[in-house]
Amino acid sequence: MIWLSKRRTIFFMLIPTLIVYLGYIIMPVLISFYYSLTEYTGIGAARFIGLDNFNRLLNDSLFWISLKNTLIVLAVAMLLLLPGAFLLALLLNVKVKGGNAVKALNFAPSIVAPILVGLIWVFILDPQMGMINVILTKLGLGQLAQSWIGGKTLTPYSIGIVFTWQMIGFLATIFLAGLKMIPRDVYESSSMDGANKVQQMFRITIPMMNETVKINVILIITGVFKIFETVLLLTNGGPNHLSEVMVTYMYNVTFTSGEYGYGMAIATVTFLLTLIFSLVYMSLSRKSIEE
Amino acid sequence: MKNRFSIILMACLLILSLAACGSNNAPKNENASSETGPVTLSIAMHVANVKEQEPYMYGIIQKFQEKYPDIKIDLTGAETQEHVKKMKMMSQSGNLPDIFWMLPAPAKEMNQAGLLLDLTDFLKSNPEITAGIDSQMVSDYQDGGKQFGLPYQALVTGLWYNKALFDQYKVKVPETYEELLAAAKVFKANNVVTIAKGSKDTFSTWAFLGMLTRYGFFDKIADIESGKEKFNNPDFLKLFNKIDELRVNGAFPENVSTLSYFQAVEMFTAGKAAMLDAGVWETKKIEGSPIAKTAGFSWGPTFSNGVGNQKIAMAVAAAPLVASAKVKDDPAKYDAVQKFFAFFYSQEGAAVMAENEAPPVVKYTGTVDKAKYPVYAEVINKLNEPGWERAKAQPDLVVSEAVANQLNDSIYGVINGIYKPEQALDLIDQKVAK
């Protein structure tokens, strides 16, 4: 089987995957970029207009609202989801009776279709018929009832919480796998040296989870920049685009307004921002390790 | 030897991958024949479940297949936006279905790109059909000397009302804006929604588009599009101020921003709202609801400061049924398409529409059982009510998709309290300018 390890064979074996990857990932990205330079309604020929669509983006207040909302969701996810998933993984790592069932339950939100996630949360967050406001009112705390969705300010924060709920089990499972990879004898020898649980956490667990944290942060960044169905179901970007995130705004512009060229400009910017955020984070995390 | 074997294996894999990626230009329909024998027509519609959501189309297709057993119909459906997206993509790859529903603006673009069948000859060879359809509805789908489509259905929109609630609170069913405002104040005081609406589906602005025609929309739109006039003009501003006044007086649901159109319909049919902004496509649903016996249909309020004739009814052509230009390449298929259109617009087709409580596009000579279908009978009465002039079209169907989207968005912006009336109109002007 030596022939299998030869570079030429490996290259040939990769060709089918490469073709699929080029055809289904790279080509659409390039095609989208091309259309972002055109005025196009989806029918007939596209008219090349250079960077006009990108200039238009700079003056489009709705685009900036969608970007701001996306960044709010990202901030909520970083503040709640990342530490939350880590703490959950620590809890799941404790051996208790019925622990496997808890692990399965914790993963459940991740396998629910995003469209259903949206539907479930409508019944929780809706200002009129939603569970939260109804409970608050019944408890005599009606003054605390808010427009969790559909108002002018809170929707992106609510979307961040829904995203956290949806992703926490998945990220906790990745953290859990990372925790399981840490050799037990490291803890045992540190115990013999007199380290307590807190010291073990900050001196052993967290540093050794660095790669896992990196994976989860990248998953959060890419996940947030492609949030779509949840927003669609919760508010459809409304009222009047105040809760749009970048992908829903791109969808609205492209498919509801029929402005394909402009929509592709938004898609291109979304793609580039995802890439930039991921690369900047990876670069910063590499630097912090080296230091 | 092993090396050679691996190279051959890789080459095979590569060829298979390329074959899988290649486009298949072979005709999908093996039954299609240009000579004789069975023909299959592909028909694509704008609803996910044609049988449930467009029962008259489904019924017409069934009856058509009974009449022409050699013509099979491959019926597919997708939700409206998805359907439009799909048709646009299929137009790019040259694989449009034989017959399909399309929004007027993109249909016009498809016609200009030479993708649609010219139905002029069909109308010439079927004079009884031409005479049976409202001439305005026929001319709506002419462009560049071509008849690129025919009205799929009559778009009849306005305000449904529940007479029982008006009686309960001793309020008159409004005919004028002042009466509507007075009713809204009474209903608000009694925690009843006056007009059920859901802004999550911004397309649901039909009654308000009808109101726009009562402020001279069709007198102004050409000048607005040519830049001589603005959408933000004193007449349209009067209407948008009135929408704002209705909002301030609590005419809409408090959670209008998180409600969908379908939830608004549920609210009305459950007797929780006095009125519903919708069209006759809801007839069957209302007929089967607890409010069937007290439901009525109106064209919406008239305005004392409106422009021109106030008695304008929104009974117009909805969207066209079009055929792919490619069907002409296959005589058998072309013949089948002609037969389908002839059946769809025949009295037989109209009877199926009437059975399913949809207003026929052609002049229908049959009768309606008022005892069995009180809601449908009410709609037909309304359509025959004297003194009402029919609008040329629905305003959002004569402008580009982008402007139509902004028009709906601006109306809901005022209803949601997000835009001031002037701001809402300025946003439409900005879209027109693009």
Side-chain angles (χ1 to χ4, degrees), chain B residues 119-236:
Chain B
L119 295 166
T120 309
D121 288 343
F122 168 77
L123 287 179
K124 275 185 192 160
S125 52
N126 292 281
E128 71 291 349
I129 289 175
T130 314
I133 309 176
D134 184 273
S135 60
Q136 176 68 48
M137 287 193 186
V138 174
S139 61
D140 278 347
Y141 304 126
Q142 289 168 352
D143 188 46
K146 288 182 185 170
Q147 185 73 43
F148 64 84
L150 286 173
Y152 165 63
Q153 61 186 174
L155 183 68
V156 181
T157 62
L159 288 171
W160 289 98
Y161 59 85
N162 181 358
K163 184 81 169 43
L165 282 173
F166 283 92
D167 290 345
Q168 186 182 339
Y169 295 104
K170 298 180 175 55
V171 187
K172 184 178 179 291
V173 174
E175 288 174 14
T176 65
Y177 172 75
E178 287 71 25
E179 288 168 354
L180 176 62
L181 185 63
K185 288 174 182 171
V186 174
F187 285 129
K188 175 68 182 166
N190 290 284
N191 284 326
V192 174
V193 170
T194 307
I195 306 174
K197 287 197 74 64
S199 79
K200 251 163 92 175
D201 298 311
T202 54
F203 54 75
S204 58
T205 60
W206 305 281
F208 293 87
L209 294 172
M211 293 178 210
L212 199 55
T213 64
R214 290 171 205 146
Y215 279 91
F217 176 84
F218 285 102
D219 299 334
K220 294 182 173 71
I221 189 62
D223 283 346
I224 290 170
E225 287 186 323
S226 67
K228 287 182 200 161
E229 170 81 275
K230 290 277 178 199
F231 221 96
N232 186 359
N233 60 68
D235 292 326
F236 290 177

Side-chain angles (χ1 to χ4, degrees), chain A residues 147-168:
Chain A
S147 291
W148 306 108
I149 52 170
K152 291 181 184 175
T153 50
L154 288 178
T155 308
Y157 298 94
S158 299
I159 293 165
I161 288 167
V162 176
F163 181 72
T164 298
W165 176 83
Q166 191 186 1
M167 290 288 286
I168 197 163

Side-chain angles (χ1 to χ4, degrees), chain B residues 327-339:
Chain B
V327 299
K328 219 166 180 182
D329 299 342
D330 182 339
K333 195 165 258 196
Y334 181 60
D335 179 57
V337 167
Q338 301 255 344
K339 280 181 177 146

Side-chain angles (χ1 to χ4, degrees), chain B residues 253-265:
Chain B
E254 280 182 29
N255 57 338
V256 59
S257 65
T258 54
L259 279 182
S260 69
Y261 164 69
F262 300 99
Q263 287 171 308
V265 175

Side-chain angles (χ1 to χ4, degrees), chain A residues 17-138:
Chain A
T17 314
L18 213 63
I19 289 170
V20 172
Y21 183 74
L22 282 172
Y24 287 93
I25 307 288
I26 303 299
M27 281 297 284
V29 170
L30 294 177
I31 291 169
S32 298
F33 179 67
Y34 165 72
Y35 278 112
S36 72
L37 303 173
T38 67
E39 189 179 84
Y40 183 48
T41 60
I43 297 162
R47 189 169 71 88
F48 188 79
I49 54 168
L51 294 172
D52 283 8
N53 284 326
F54 293 94
N55 283 334
R56 186 178 156 191
L57 267 182
L58 296 175
N59 299 311
D60 182 351
S61 60
L62 296 181
F63 168 73
W64 290 109
I65 288 173
S66 71
L67 177 59
K68 186 188 86 179
N69 288 341
T70 308
L71 295 178
I72 290 174
V73 179
L74 183 62
V76 172
M78 286 298 184
L79 289 172
L80 295 182
L81 179 55
L82 196 66
F86 184 64
L87 290 174
L88 186 60
L90 289 175
L91 284 173
L92 292 172
N93 202 27
V94 178
K95 283 185 181 165
V96 287
K97 208 175 175 184
N100 284 337
V102 175
K103 280 175 199 164
L105 277 175
N106 134 79
F107 199 73
S110 311
I111 54 167
V112 177
I115 209 99
L116 289 177
V117 172
L119 202 61
I120 292 165
W121 281 87
V122 164
F123 290 106
I124 296 172
L125 298 170
D126 188 275
Q128 294 298 309
M129 59 178 185
M131 196 179 76
I132 294 180
N133 280 359
V134 169
I135 290 174
L136 286 171
T137 309
K138 288 202 169 165

Side-chain angles (χ1 to χ4, degrees), chain B residues 128 132 345-352 354 360-368 376 380 384:
Chain B
E128 71 291 349
Y345 295 103
S346 68
Q347 283 297 307
E348 277 175 278
V352 179
V361 176
V362 294
K363 284 168 195 140
Y364 179 51
T365 50
T367 53
V368 179
Y376 186 54
I380 298 296
N384 295 328

